[in-house]
Amino acid sequence: MASGIRDKVAILGMGCSKFGERWNDGPEALMVEAFQECLADAGIEKKQIQAAWLGTCFDEISVGKSALPASMALKLNNVAVTRVENFCASGTEAFRGAVYAVASGAYDIALAIGVEKLKDIGYGGLPEFGSAMGSLNGLWFANMTAPGGFAMLASGYAAKYGIDMQLVKKAMAHVSVKSHANGALNPKAHLRKPVTEEQVLNSPMIAYPLGLFDCCGVSDGSACAIVTTPEIAKSLGKKNIISVKALQLSLSNGTEIAYDWDGAQFITTSKASLEAYKEAGIKDPRKEISMMEVHDCFSITELVTMEDLHISERGKAPEDILNGFYDRDGKVPCQIDGGLKCFGHPIGASGLRMLYEMYLQLQGKAGDRQLKDPRFGLTHNLGGFPMMNVCSVAIVGKYGD
Amino acid sequence: MAGIVSYGGYIPRYRLNRMLIVQNMAWYFPVIMAVAQGEKAVANWDEDAVSMAVAAAYDCMEGNDRKKLNGVYLASTTLPFADRLNAGIVAAALNIPEDGATNADFASCLKSCTTAAIAALDAINAGKANNMLVVASDQRRTKMATMLEMFYGDGAAALLFGKDNVIAEFKGSHSLSCDFVDHYRGSGKEFDYNWEERWMRDEGYGKIIPQAIGGFLKKTGMAITDFAKVIYPCYFSGTHKDIAKKLGLDPSKVQGNMHANCGDTGTAHPFVMLAAALEDAKPGDKLLVASFGQGCDVLAFEVTDKIKNFKGPKGIKGSLANKVDLNNYQKFSKFRDLIVADLGIRGETSVNTSLTTLWRNRKMIFGLVGKKCKKCGVPHFPPNIICVNPDCGAVNEFDDYEFVGKQGKVLMFTGDMLAASVDPPAVYGLVGFDGGGRTLMDFTDCDMNQVKVGMPIKLSFRKRYTDKTRGFTGYFWKAIPQIEGGK
């Protein structure tokens, strides 16, 4: 029986670029910015990297196809580089590739890097898929955008639990207010202004019932990690080693969109998180998870995710949210770095950016945002749409804990 | 005896009050005020001659077996494809058998509807076909502040011809064909070009229709007084009355031209008016229908006892009752691309249509045909290779399953202001069908603010996209939430 990934791989170093509208920097510059920080943090030389994984999604409007953009921008040593793309989980998928490669014993030291350059298209929101959605989907799929796709969840959620949409909206507003308060403390975040509940509730409608401030920013950015075995990390003189406790991925199989689903949850998140807790040896996530970076592409996504991660009870996320359970001073602080809400969502970079915050927090290096003695940090990505999606869940903590 | 087995109609839901046109445009051409009575039916932005034809065809085929059709004839002057059989799209949307079907477009002339009907009846009488569906549909664009903008409406109607269960027997026809041109639309031109009204009225409608009807009566030995209703188009209401006078017709026996509640639906209009007449017909009634355009076809029908038990379709009355006031002239102008509004860069995305993909998936796209598992009985859409029921696992053991006609309801929805749309917000959602199956669909003909989870929906064949670069119109089905019973 598989023994899982727990404590088999250590994070040797991490780096994260400043996220934002990086009008004067291309994806190559963003990658190098994150990579240089990461390499210095790892304390190794570039030639020690034996393999790399690149996560990026909208390659057609930025780097182009294959893993060559990473190998060439970073001037890697003609090593194996693989490009992965799995919607919003792309960054975590790159990490999973590097982690599994080290765990398998195939390589000693591997790099995972994610990048996305979104602000080269001339309009707000994510790029249109165009031919990238496939020749059949283009013939029939609804004229859907990301906010619209997730907005539907709010109608499904309110209907399932018989909760008035105004209350759901209020809880959603608190999600954004809380993230902005955190993002304001983070020099690498894109949006650094606190907002009020009133501002969120009164923001212009993007996709009913999501207003502008229920939507995350759209930014450029890159983040990366260098991973190795705990033994090598020790041999390199690392102390307080941060290790991978769980890495899970779950994908829709067509059930939600075509068979049976209540429209008020992500069945993938529900499954991936349970598997992750098992892999990490966590029995009561509501008590044991110290902090989370979840996929708050839209406030409603975060709200529903609190239940799918089995931290809030079904139908009770609005209550927990409004009670401040997920605030910076709450029981399980969520989006402590500001989240997608304030960092924006350069698709390929997001998963690694979330891990970067967990890594900083676990090492006590999170500055003004530092939480007291965090133990387990959970990250979560949700790609695609509620009715067909890709979900990744990762848990990191202190090696041996 | 061959005749009409069923009829159906479709008048789009939006109505434009003619006074609204006057309020907006009379400053430019005050003459339009003279014909500003009532309202005209206008197609939604996602409708065209083909989509409306499909709606009328489904209405007509309600309760009739589509699999028994030997062909579909489509008559229109506003077909989206100059070289690709438009009737073939309608036939595919009806999911009729491909083998043995004779489908054809009858185009380029407003009387092509009756010409198609004669061709269908000829085929049936010659024993070459048993059941032929003839659909007429038009959605003509007009320039702003013109008489044509005032007169023209959008709509479609369908007639099912056959030999069994005939509700109106065919009693003969007569055609007059001549190159009389009162208006024309050159190839590739957007709008009709018409000669002065006196010419159209007096030398056109006013002379040719009576002449053709006279020819029919002479040929058949029937008298005009034999007919309970005489049906002919003419959007000049005065001339419409004068024709009756010329024919010696009692005004009560003239089918109204529907100017006040619909407008002239072009090629569809003789059928629309005939369908409206059939809705009120009694056994034994004789109906005379004439068309107009480079001549005139005249057809006579006699209503049979079968009409008493005929389970009427939604028809013209039904669709006329289902209406919403389009109280915004700019919106109408944008729907018709008469004004330039920015769709944004997001709306620039232009992908060609993969003809191979479309061919492989034609049943799914046009007919909304999914699959039903032979093992577990679960229906699904789009068609999967492996059963969607996780507890089943059947591989390729499915029957085709038509979702059109199934009851459904809204499971979740949104109105999306970010999506590039001619009529924002783009409303869409997940729709679940009674008996199983669910899918994501665009919604249409609805106000997002009135949509609710759990609301019943109906399905409608609509334009999914228009590829202006290459001249290709893509179609798919959309859901219409049934707000307050359809209004």
Side-chain angles (χ1 to χ4, degrees):
Chain A
M1 203 178 122
S3 56
I5 201 70
R6 184 182 177 183
D7 278 350
K8 287 179 182 162
V9 177
I11 300 175
L12 196 56
M14 287 201 80
C16 181
S17 76
K18 160 90 178 134
F19 279 37
E21 286 157 342
R22 301 284 302 261
W23 305 116
N24 293 308
D25 294 302
E28 299 80 9
L30 298 171
M31 280 192 276
V32 170
E33 186 177 318
F35 180 65
Q36 291 302 110
E37 182 192 344
C38 183
L39 203 58
D41 181 46
I44 60 166
E45 287 179 61
K46 190 176 3 185
K47 65 180 183 203
Q48 291 176 266
I49 297 170
Q50 297 163 333
W53 274 259
L54 164 68
T56 193
C57 184
F58 287 99
D59 59 277
E60 62 277 11
I61 52 114
S62 62
V63 296
K65 298 228 173 286
S66 90
L68 279 167
S71 185
M72 292 172 77
L74 305 180
K75 303 286 177 280
L76 298 176
N77 196 24
N78 299 121
V79 297
V81 191
T82 303
R83 185 217 155 164
V84 293
E85 186 279 304
N86 217 353
F87 278 158
C88 306
S90 298
T92 304
E93 282 288 67
F95 185 70
R96 201 163 67 103
V99 166
Y100 282 8
V102 166
S104 75
Y107 299 106
D108 287 330
I109 297 178
L111 167 76
I113 187 159
V115 67
E116 210 76 45
K117 176 76 195 169
L118 293 176
K119 297 307 296 173
D120 274 346
I121 56 172
Y123 55 95
L126 290 177
E128 276 293 299
F129 273 79
S131 60
M133 78 189 295
S135 65
L136 178 56
N137 285 337
L139 298 181
W140 72 278
F141 221 62
N143 182 17
M144 188 163 71
T145 65
F150 284 89
M152 283 186 271
L153 205 58
S155 70
Y157 186 88
K160 160 134 188 182
Y161 296 109
I163 303 176
D164 188 81
M165 188 59 90
Q166 286 313 307
L167 180 67
V168 179
K169 281 273 288 180
K170 200 174 155 67
M172 280 159 47
H174 189 86
V175 165
S176 296
V177 171
K178 169 266 300 163
S179 296
H180 271 269
N182 294 344
L185 301 177
N186 195 333
K188 287 193 172 178
H190 175 186
L191 307 170
R192 301 199 56 201
K193 252 164 94 175
V195 297
T196 64
E197 183 186 296
E198 200 184 8
Q199 274 178 299
V200 178
L201 288 172
N202 293 332
S203 63
M205 193 61 78
I206 299 296
Y208 172 83
L210 304 180
L212 181 64
F213 285 12
D214 288 300
C215 306
C216 75
V218 179
S219 340
D220 308 321
S222 176
C224 64
I226 293 174
V227 294
T228 187
T229 63
E231 294 71 30
I232 295 172
K234 272 185 235 165
S235 75
L236 290 169
K238 291 281 168 184
K239 296 195 174 66
N240 300 324
I241 291 169
I242 309 304
S243 65
V244 180
K245 303 291 182 184
L247 265 182
Q248 291 293 331
L249 192 75
S250 172
L251 276 79
S252 295
N253 59 15
T255 297
E256 302 99 304
I257 194 169
Y259 181 57
D260 186 28
W261 176 50
D262 64 7
Q265 61 178 309
F266 296 97
I267 61 172
T268 51
T269 302
S270 197
K271 180 172 181 192
S273 61
L274 285 180
E275 296 287 335
Y277 298 141
K278 206 166 112 189
E279 190 172 30
I282 289 171
K283 300 214 163 44
D284 185 350
R286 193 174 165 98
K287 292 213 173 77
E288 294 177 71
I289 295 291
S290 317
M291 56 187 174
M292 309 191 287
E293 288 291 329
V294 306
H295 199 83
D296 58 328
C297 51
F298 305 97
S299 55
I300 186 65
T301 320
E302 179 170 329
L303 184 152
V304 171
T305 298
M306 297 303 101
E307 298 176 11
D308 296 326
L309 291 174
H310 310 281
I311 294 186
S312 286
E313 280 175 42
R314 292 279 171 210
K316 298 280 192 241
E319 206 178 303
D320 278 344
I321 287 166
L322 290 168
N323 287 338
F325 188 86
Y326 299 107
D327 291 359
R328 191 163 72 248
D329 57 0
K331 289 274 168 53
V332 183
C334 188
Q335 321 303 67
I336 185 67
D337 72 352
L340 298 178
K341 182 78 197 76
C342 296
F343 264 83
H345 183 26
I347 316 285
S350 286
L352 284 154
R353 178 225 95 217
M354 294 171 171
L355 285 164
Y356 177 75
E357 177 69 9
M358 300 293 95
Y359 176 76
L360 292 182
Q361 291 281 352
L362 287 164
Q363 292 187 320
K365 292 179 181 168
D368 294 343
R369 308 178 309 281
Q370 185 61 49
L371 300 169
K372 196 168 171 285
D373 301 327
R375 218 182 134 200
F376 292 116
L378 179 147
T379 68
H380 158 265
N381 308 107
L382 201 283
F385 297 104
M387 59 288 299
M388 44 189 280
N389 64 74
V390 177
C391 172
S392 64
V393 173
I395 299 173
V396 291
K398 289 165 184 158
Y399 176 64
D401 181 10
Chain B
M1 189 61 118
I4 298 168
V5 176
S6 180
Y7 62 86
Y10 177 75
I11 305 298
R13 167 178 168 266
Y14 276 132
R15 303 303 143 74
L16 190 65
N17 192 301
R18 289 191 177 86
M19 280 313 289
L20 192 67
I21 307 177
V22 169
Q23 281 157 18
N24 280 277
M25 297 308 298
W27 64 273
Y28 190 78
F29 187 55
V31 181
I32 57 174
M33 232 176 300
V35 292
Q37 307 81 17
E39 59 197 17
K40 64 175 210 159
V42 297
N44 205 341
W45 66 274
D46 58 358
E47 297 184 285
D48 67 2
V50 164
S51 75
M52 292 192 299
V54 171
Y58 264 100
D59 189 43
C60 179
M61 294 307 291
E62 182 75 43
N64 290 284
D65 189 358
R66 281 178 272 122
K67 308 294 170 208
K68 288 187 180 160
L69 284 178
N70 302 112
V72 176
Y73 290 168
L74 174 61
S76 175
T77 70
T78 49
L79 296 172
F81 289 93
D83 186 348
R84 175 193 176 185
L85 193 65
N86 298 277
I89 303 172
V90 177
L94 292 167
N95 193 29
I96 72 165
E98 294 174 343
D99 197 36
T102 305
N103 303 329
D105 289 342
F106 287 71
S108 314
C109 173
L110 295 183
K111 82 164 182 334
S112 62
C113 56
T114 45
T115 311
I118 292 167
L121 286 161
D122 284 350
I124 291 165
N125 282 326
K128 292 190 171 174
N130 294 318
N131 297 288
M132 294 296 295
L133 181 68
V134 183
V135 198
S137 178
D138 248 334
Q139 196 254 289
R140 294 173 291 175
R141 292 174 67 219
T142 51
K143 289 181 190 166
M144 287 175 160
T146 56
M147 295 305 274
L148 298 185
E149 181 179 44
M150 299 300 280
F151 288 132
Y152 289 3
D154 303 324
L159 296 171
L160 173 63
F161 293 109
K163 278 188 168 167
D164 301 325
N165 297 316
V166 166
I167 57 167
E169 277 179 11
F170 178 51
K171 291 291 178 189
S173 71
H174 178 70
S175 292
L176 184 161
S177 293
C178 55
D179 189 32
F180 177 84
V181 188
D182 57 343
H183 77 278
Y184 64 87
R185 194 182 329 125
S187 283
K189 288 290 175 190
E190 297 178 69
F191 304 105
D192 289 5
Y193 186 88
N194 61 294
W195 222 236
E196 64 183 304
E197 280 188 17
R198 319 176 69 82
W199 167 254
M200 301 170 83
R201 280 184 336 228
D202 303 343
E203 204 61 17
Y205 284 102
K207 215 175 223 178
I208 290 174
I209 290 175
Q211 192 187 338
I213 290 179
F216 170 84
L217 296 175
K218 198 173 161 196
K219 181 168 147 185
T220 58
M222 295 186 200
I224 197 74
T225 47
D226 293 345
F227 293 95
K229 271 275 149 56
V230 178
I231 299 143
Y232 53 88
C234 180
Y235 48 77
F236 303 107
S237 293
T239 310
H240 193 254
K241 283 194 191 102
D242 290 346
I243 293 171
K245 235 180 257 171
K246 272 191 194 170
L247 292 168
L249 260 175
D250 181 332
S252 69
K253 303 213 164 157
V254 180
Q255 185 70 25
N257 69 355
M258 300 175 69
H259 174 73
N261 58 359
C262 176
D264 187 284
T265 60
T267 311
H269 216 48
F271 277 20
V272 167
M273 289 168 69
L274 174 59
L278 282 165
E279 286 168 357
D280 294 327
K282 299 183 298 294
D285 280 358
K286 287 197 177 78
L287 307 175
L288 190 70
V289 58
S291 53
F292 178 75
Q294 282 76 62
C296 173
D297 295 320
V298 184
L299 292 86
F301 296 94
E302 184 172 339
V303 178
T304 72
D305 282 345
K306 291 257 167 33
I307 201 142
K308 282 194 280 190
N309 296 324
F310 181 69
K311 293 244 185 322
K314 202 170 154 210
I316 301 302
K317 270 186 193 159
S319 19
L320 282 175
N322 175 32
K323 66 171 184 174
V324 162
D325 198 26
L326 181 59
N327 56 4
N328 182 334
Y329 183 74
Q330 281 71 26
K331 203 164 172 177
F332 165 71
S333 310
K334 178 57 202 161
F335 284 4
R336 293 294 173 276
D337 252 340
L338 297 169
I339 52 175
V340 181
D342 189 18
L343 201 53
I345 301 179
R346 187 176 289 282
E348 287 174 14
T349 312
S350 169
V351 182
N352 65 3
T353 301
S354 169
L355 301 178
T356 41
T357 305
L358 185 61
W359 167 250
R360 272 201 308 280
N361 298 283
R362 62 194 183 283
K363 277 193 174 191
M364 163 193 167
I365 299 297
F366 295 123
L368 200 72
V369 178
K371 297 286 183 190
K372 184 172 183 173
C373 183
K374 286 184 191 172
K375 256 173 104 175
C376 72
V378 167
H380 64 255
F381 186 92
N384 285 264
I385 320 271
I386 299 177
C387 183
V388 74
N389 173 1
D391 299 324
C392 176
V395 181
N396 253 330
E397 294 178 73
F398 306 118
D399 292 318
D400 279 358
Y401 185 83
E402 288 184 1
F403 280 93
V404 183
K406 299 283 181 293
Q407 299 294 314
K409 61 174 192 285
V410 176
L411 299 177
M412 58 203 298
F413 74 98
T414 188
D416 186 339
M417 291 301 292
L418 188 65
S421 168
V422 176
D423 188 16
V427 186
Y428 50 83
L430 193 64
V431 165
F433 296 97
D434 295 354
R438 51 167 57 194
T439 196
L440 189 68
M441 300 189 106
D442 285 315
F443 292 1
T444 190
D445 280 7
C446 69
D447 169 9
M448 194 279 288
N449 294 313
Q450 298 188 58
V451 180
K452 294 204 161 44
V453 170
M455 190 172 263
I457 58 104
K458 282 190 174 153
L459 295 165
S460 184
F461 188 79
R462 297 289 169 121
K463 285 195 287 185
R464 165 70 183 76
Y465 58 90
T466 308
D467 175 354
K468 286 184 182 162
T469 308
R470 305 166 193 89
F472 192 92
T473 306
Y475 297 89
F476 187 60
W477 292 83
K478 293 188 182 182
I480 304 177
Q482 299 296 293
I483 298 159
E484 289 163 24
K487 289 201 176 175

